PDB file of all heavy atoms in Angstrom:
ATOM      1  N   ILE A 381      11.885  20.040  79.538  1.00 98.00           N
ATOM      2  CA  ILE A 381      12.726  19.608  78.425  1.00 98.00           C
ATOM      3  C   ILE A 381      12.488  20.518  77.233  1.00 98.00           C
ATOM      4  O   ILE A 381      11.378  20.580  76.690  1.00 98.00           O
ATOM      5  CB  ILE A 381      12.428  18.145  78.056  1.00 98.00           C
ATOM      6  CG1 ILE A 381      12.635  17.249  79.282  1.00 98.00           C
ATOM      7  CG2 ILE A 381      13.306  17.687  76.891  1.00 98.00           C
ATOM      8  CD1 ILE A 381      11.965  15.902  79.190  1.00 98.00           C
ATOM      9  N   ALA A 382      13.520  21.225  76.829  1.00 98.00           N
ATOM     10  CA  ALA A 382      13.420  22.141  75.695  1.00 98.00           C
ATOM     11  C   ALA A 382      14.102  21.521  74.481  1.00 98.00           C
ATOM     12  O   ALA A 382      15.270  21.137  74.543  1.00 98.00           O
ATOM     13  CB  ALA A 382      14.074  23.476  76.031  1.00 98.00           C
ATOM     14  N   ASP A 383      13.367  21.415  73.398  1.00 98.00           N
ATOM     15  CA  ASP A 383      13.920  20.994  72.117  1.00 98.00           C
ATOM     16  C   ASP A 383      14.186  22.265  71.315  1.00 98.00           C
ATOM     17  O   ASP A 383      13.273  23.068  71.088  1.00 98.00           O
ATOM     18  CB  ASP A 383      12.935  20.087  71.384  1.00 98.00           C
ATOM     19  CG  ASP A 383      13.518  19.523  70.097  1.00 98.00           C
ATOM     20  OD1 ASP A 383      13.479  20.234  69.062  1.00 98.00           O
ATOM     21  OD2 ASP A 383      14.016  18.392  70.117  1.00 98.00           O
ATOM     22  N   VAL A 384      15.439  22.462  70.916  1.00 98.00           N
ATOM     23  CA  VAL A 384      15.865  23.708  70.274  1.00 98.00           C
ATOM     24  C   VAL A 384      16.477  23.404  68.912  1.00 98.00           C
ATOM     25  O   VAL A 384      17.409  22.602  68.806  1.00 98.00           O
ATOM     26  CB  VAL A 384      16.898  24.452  71.141  1.00 98.00           C
ATOM     27  CG1 VAL A 384      17.386  25.711  70.428  1.00 98.00           C
ATOM     28  CG2 VAL A 384      16.318  24.783  72.510  1.00 98.00           C
ATOM     29  N   GLN A 385      15.965  24.059  67.875  1.00 98.00           N
ATOM     30  CA  GLN A 385      16.545  23.934  66.541  1.00 98.00           C
ATOM     31  C   GLN A 385      16.804  25.341  66.005  1.00 98.00           C
ATOM     32  O   GLN A 385      15.928  26.211  66.065  1.00 98.00           O
ATOM     33  CB  GLN A 385      15.596  23.172  65.617  1.00 98.00           C
ATOM     34  CG  GLN A 385      15.332  21.744  66.085  1.00 98.00           C
ATOM     35  CD  GLN A 385      14.397  20.990  65.162  1.00 98.00           C
ATOM     36  OE1 GLN A 385      14.680  20.824  63.978  1.00 98.00           O
ATOM     37  NE2 GLN A 385      13.262  20.546  65.701  1.00 98.00           N
ATOM     38  N   ILE A 386      18.021  25.552  65.508  1.00 98.00           N
ATOM     39  CA  ILE A 386      18.418  26.865  65.006  1.00 98.00           C
ATOM     40  C   ILE A 386      19.062  26.723  63.636  1.00 98.00           C
ATOM     41  O   ILE A 386      19.489  25.627  63.248  1.00 98.00           O
ATOM     42  CB  ILE A 386      19.390  27.571  65.980  1.00 98.00           C
ATOM     43  CG1 ILE A 386      20.606  26.676  66.288  1.00 98.00           C
ATOM     44  CG2 ILE A 386      18.672  27.948  67.267  1.00 98.00           C
ATOM     45  CD1 ILE A 386      21.610  27.298  67.247  1.00 98.00           C
ATOM     46  N   THR A 387      19.128  27.816  62.894  1.00 98.00           N
ATOM     47  CA  THR A 387      19.702  27.764  61.551  1.00 98.00           C
ATOM     48  C   THR A 387      21.163  28.198  61.516  1.00 98.00           C
ATOM     49  O   THR A 387      21.842  27.982  60.515  1.00 98.00           O
ATOM     50  CB  THR A 387      18.898  28.660  60.583  1.00 98.00           C
ATOM     51  OG1 THR A 387      18.918  30.014  61.071  1.00 98.00           O
ATOM     52  CG2 THR A 387      17.462  28.167  60.469  1.00 98.00           C
ATOM     53  N   GLU A 388      21.633  28.844  62.600  1.00 97.00           N
ATOM     54  CA  GLU A 388      23.023  29.264  62.695  1.00 97.00           C
ATOM     55  C   GLU A 388      23.532  29.015  64.108  1.00 97.00           C
ATOM     56  O   GLU A 388      22.808  29.233  65.084  1.00 97.00           O
ATOM     57  CB  GLU A 388      23.177  30.760  62.385  1.00 97.00           C
ATOM     58  CG  GLU A 388      22.861  31.161  60.973  1.00 97.00           C
ATOM     59  CD  GLU A 388      23.075  32.667  60.761  1.00 97.00           C
ATOM     60  OE1 GLU A 388      23.784  33.289  61.585  1.00 97.00           O
ATOM     61  OE2 GLU A 388      22.506  33.195  59.786  1.00 97.00           O
ATOM     62  N   ALA A 389      24.789  28.580  64.221  1.00 98.00           N
ATOM     63  CA  ALA A 389      25.373  28.306  65.538  1.00 98.00           C
ATOM     64  C   ALA A 389      25.432  29.555  66.403  1.00 98.00           C
ATOM     65  O   ALA A 389      25.426  29.468  67.642  1.00 98.00           O
ATOM     66  CB  ALA A 389      26.765  27.716  65.370  1.00 98.00           C
ATOM     67  N   SER A 390      25.462  30.735  65.775  1.00 97.00           N
ATOM     68  CA  SER A 390      25.583  31.979  66.533  1.00 97.00           C
ATOM     69  C   SER A 390      24.367  32.275  67.399  1.00 97.00           C
ATOM     70  O   SER A 390      24.433  33.126  68.294  1.00 97.00           O
ATOM     71  CB  SER A 390      25.819  33.152  65.588  1.00 97.00           C
ATOM     72  OG  SER A 390      24.726  33.306  64.697  1.00 97.00           O
ATOM     73  N   TYR A 391      23.244  31.584  67.171  1.00 98.00           N
ATOM     74  CA  TYR A 391      22.061  31.813  67.991  1.00 98.00           C
ATOM     75  C   TYR A 391      22.129  31.083  69.337  1.00 98.00           C
ATOM     76  O   TYR A 391      21.311  31.340  70.221  1.00 98.00           O
ATOM     77  CB  TYR A 391      20.798  31.396  67.245  1.00 98.00           C
ATOM     78  CG  TYR A 391      20.604  32.132  65.945  1.00 98.00           C
ATOM     79  CD1 TYR A 391      20.148  31.473  64.805  1.00 98.00           C
ATOM     80  CD2 TYR A 391      20.890  33.492  65.840  1.00 98.00           C
ATOM     81  CE1 TYR A 391      19.974  32.141  63.600  1.00 98.00           C
ATOM     82  CE2 TYR A 391      20.724  34.174  64.646  1.00 98.00           C
ATOM     83  CZ  TYR A 391      20.274  33.492  63.523  1.00 98.00           C
ATOM     84  OH  TYR A 391      20.114  34.158  62.336  1.00 98.00           O
ATOM     85  N   LEU A 392      23.078  30.157  69.490  1.00 98.00           N
ATOM     86  CA  LEU A 392      23.346  29.520  70.780  1.00 98.00           C
ATOM     87  C   LEU A 392      24.449  30.337  71.450  1.00 98.00           C
ATOM     88  O   LEU A 392      25.610  30.275  71.062  1.00 98.00           O
ATOM     89  CB  LEU A 392      23.790  28.068  70.594  1.00 98.00           C
ATOM     90  CG  LEU A 392      24.236  27.314  71.850  1.00 98.00           C
ATOM     91  CD1 LEU A 392      23.134  27.274  72.903  1.00 98.00           C
ATOM     92  CD2 LEU A 392      24.706  25.911  71.503  1.00 98.00           C
ATOM     93  N   LYS A 393      24.081  31.134  72.431  1.00 98.00           N
ATOM     94  CA  LYS A 393      24.989  32.126  72.995  1.00 98.00           C
ATOM     95  C   LYS A 393      25.190  31.904  74.495  1.00 98.00           C
ATOM     96  O   LYS A 393      24.487  31.106  75.125  1.00 98.00           O
ATOM     97  CB  LYS A 393      24.411  33.536  72.792  1.00 98.00           C
ATOM     98  CG  LYS A 393      24.136  33.943  71.351  1.00 98.00           C
ATOM     99  CD  LYS A 393      23.465  35.306  71.302  1.00 98.00           C
ATOM    100  CE  LYS A 393      23.082  35.723  69.898  1.00 98.00           C
ATOM    101  NZ  LYS A 393      24.262  36.102  69.103  1.00 98.00           N
ATOM    102  N   THR A 394      26.128  32.666  75.031  1.00 98.00           N
ATOM    103  CA  THR A 394      26.311  32.744  76.473  1.00 98.00           C
ATOM    104  C   THR A 394      26.389  34.209  76.881  1.00 98.00           C
ATOM    105  O   THR A 394      26.668  35.077  76.062  1.00 98.00           O
ATOM    106  CB  THR A 394      27.596  32.024  76.919  1.00 98.00           C
ATOM    107  OG1 THR A 394      28.704  32.563  76.196  1.00 98.00           O
ATOM    108  CG2 THR A 394      27.502  30.538  76.654  1.00 98.00           C
ATOM    109  N   ALA A 395      26.147  34.475  78.166  1.00 98.00           N
ATOM    110  CA  ALA A 395      26.269  35.835  78.698  1.00 98.00           C
ATOM    111  C   ALA A 395      26.743  35.764  80.133  1.00 98.00           C
ATOM    112  O   ALA A 395      26.453  34.800  80.858  1.00 98.00           O
ATOM    113  CB  ALA A 395      24.934  36.572  78.612  1.00 98.00           C
ATOM    114  N   LEU A 396      27.471  36.793  80.557  1.00 98.00           N
ATOM    115  CA  LEU A 396      28.040  36.848  81.891  1.00 98.00           C
ATOM    116  C   LEU A 396      27.281  37.853  82.750  1.00 98.00           C
ATOM    117  O   LEU A 396      26.811  38.884  82.266  1.00 98.00           O
ATOM    118  CB  LEU A 396      29.517  37.263  81.818  1.00 98.00           C
ATOM    119  CG  LEU A 396      30.407  36.455  80.867  1.00 98.00           C
ATOM    120  CD1 LEU A 396      31.845  36.961  80.939  1.00 98.00           C
ATOM    121  CD2 LEU A 396      30.342  34.969  81.183  1.00 98.00           C
ATOM    122  N   ALA A 397      27.182  37.556  84.025  1.00 97.00           N
ATOM    123  CA  ALA A 397      26.538  38.479  84.965  1.00 97.00           C
ATOM    124  C   ALA A 397      27.237  39.824  84.932  1.00 97.00           C
ATOM    125  O   ALA A 397      28.464  39.913  84.915  1.00 97.00           O
ATOM    126  CB  ALA A 397      26.586  37.898  86.369  1.00 97.00           C
ATOM    127  N   GLY A 398      26.438  40.872  84.900  1.00 96.00           N
ATOM    128  CA  GLY A 398      26.993  42.206  84.881  1.00 96.00           C
ATOM    129  C   GLY A 398      27.788  42.521  83.639  1.00 96.00           C
ATOM    130  O   GLY A 398      28.555  43.490  83.617  1.00 96.00           O
TER     131      GLY A 398
END
Side-chain angles (χ1 to χ4, degrees):
I381 303 161
D383 185 277
V384 177
Q385 298 180 59
I386 54 180
T387 59
E388 294 181 19
S390 61
Y391 301 139
L392 174 58
K393 302 175 184 287
T394 55
L396 308 182

